[in-house]
Amino acid sequence: MNRKSLLSLLLAGLLLLAGCGQSGSQEKSGGLLSQIKEKGEIVVAMEGTWAPWTYHDENDQLVGYDVEVAQRIAEKLGVKATFVEGEFDGLLAGVDAGRYDIMVNGVGVDEDRSQKYDFTDAYAYDRTAVIVKNDNTDITSLEDLTGKRTANTITSTYAKLAEKYGAEVTGVDDLNQTFELLFTGRIDATLNAEVSYYDYLKAHPDADIKIACLAPESTLIAIPVPKGETALVSAINDALAELRADGTLSELSMKYFEMDISQE
């Protein structure tokens, strides 16, 4: 074989590899979305214990803002939503491992999570409240958390914020466990969504708690998707845009929070 023929073969081989690489990239970008549509369902991870985002009603039915948002997204994708419940700290790991397609559970966007997941556009905005017992006068600002004891699910943005301001954070499984620690004096405060605080008070009007202060900025709430699944992110963003435009997100917000958290 002469030198010219050898070079031609090498060039053809390189072009073939480049084509395969491009095809593989396209398959990855549309991979999970294609699988979801092929099986006709999207597996959604959520806690089921965090009212009014995702919880069980008096008939033990899974309900909440995030439940209905996920169902509407599934409808837009032309599939059904299958919900899997678990503790918050294990749900994101389940998305990593491929056990769940997405997680819809009031997930706040932060720098650490953005390095591990691709996020959709925000579909809600959350103000973080520092919650204490009514007789607590030591905490009136985030800066007062230094040296104090708080409790949250360890991987939550609330725990990270408390640690940022010098608090010692105890890990818990859900909001009810957090309030048990607060009422018994084993922690000084807990950080959580302002809307979850008001929802808890609605169910427990005599609860011995108050909001000591609010974080100055809202947290963007979005849906984490495995890295590289750009087609799925785009499809969910299209669905969210339609739900925002036709007023569905606002209606669901008013239904569950009595305020519109879909607007910043």
Side-chain angles (χ1 to χ4, degrees):
M1 183 180 294
N2 60 36
R3 180 183 178 87
K4 184 175 181 181
S5 298
L6 180 60
L7 287 173
S8 297
L9 283 173
L10 288 172
L11 180 60
L14 289 172
L15 289 172
L16 180 60
L17 287 172
C20 290
Q22 184 178 12
S23 174
S25 175
Q26 290 172 348
E27 288 176 5
K28 182 178 180 182
S29 66
L32 186 53
L33 177 61
S34 298
Q35 292 171 25
I36 288 167
K37 292 194 171 184
E38 184 175 345
K39 65 184 179 181
E41 70 170 354
I42 183 167
V43 180
V44 183
M46 57 178 50
E47 285 178 287
T49 58
W50 189 31
W53 300 85
T54 157
Y55 64 102
H56 287 257
D57 64 13
E58 61 275 7
N59 298 315
D60 201 31
Q61 295 296 310
L62 182 64
V63 296
Y65 179 70
D66 277 335
V67 175
E68 293 209 40
V69 168
Q71 287 171 334
R72 302 303 176 87
I73 290 172
E75 290 171 4
K76 297 289 185 183
L77 297 181
V79 300
K80 70 173 183 177
T82 298
F83 297 104
V84 180
E85 298 172 57
E87 296 175 3
F88 186 93
D89 290 336
L91 295 180
L92 284 173
V95 174
D96 288 341
R99 293 193 297 273
Y100 322 124
D101 297 318
I102 59 175
M103 177 177 172
V104 187
N105 197 93
V107 180
V109 180
D110 65 19
E111 186 175 348
D112 290 340
R113 288 175 180 166
S114 295
Q115 291 176 1
K116 295 188 65 177
Y117 310 94
D118 287 335
F119 276 91
T120 65
D121 296 335
Y123 67 94
Y125 299 87
D126 167 34
R127 290 206 304 174
T128 299
V130 178
I131 304 166
V132 300
K133 291 181 67 175
N134 280 320
D135 62 359
N136 187 308
T137 58
D138 295 332
I139 300 174
T140 59
S141 68
L142 288 169
E143 288 74 13
D144 292 332
L145 291 174
T146 301
K148 300 296 192 300
R149 299 161 300 165
T150 66
N152 279 106
T153 51
I154 291 298
T155 59
S156 68
T157 53
Y158 306 119
K160 293 177 183 178
L161 184 61
E163 289 177 337
K164 176 183 175 181
Y165 282 92
E168 177 186 341
V169 180
T170 297
V172 294
D173 296 331
D174 56 41
L175 184 60
N176 289 327
Q177 188 179 352
T178 302
F179 280 129
E180 287 177 12
L181 294 177
L182 183 61
F183 294 144
T184 56
R186 283 178 283 177
I187 59 173
D188 302 298
T190 183
L191 281 63
N192 214 286
E194 179 188 16
V195 288
S196 294
Y197 164 82
Y198 287 119
D199 186 78
Y200 186 86
L201 270 190
K202 186 164 59 175
H204 307 84
D206 297 325
D208 183 24
I209 53 175
K210 66 180 180 181
I211 292 179
C213 63
L214 293 168
E217 296 181 359
S218 297
T219 300
L220 275 63
I221 304 300
I223 299 171
V225 175
K227 273 289 186 183
E229 297 294 347
T230 55
L232 180 57
V233 172
S234 179
I236 294 176
N237 281 342
D238 289 344
L240 289 173
E242 292 178 19
L243 294 172
R244 185 180 300 281
D246 67 13
T248 299
L249 290 182
S250 293
E251 290 173 10
L252 292 177
S253 291
M254 296 304 298
K255 175 180 178 179
Y256 286 102
F257 300 104
E258 299 181 358
M259 60 187 293
D260 191 356
I261 68 165
S262 71
Q263 306 291 332
E264 190 170 15

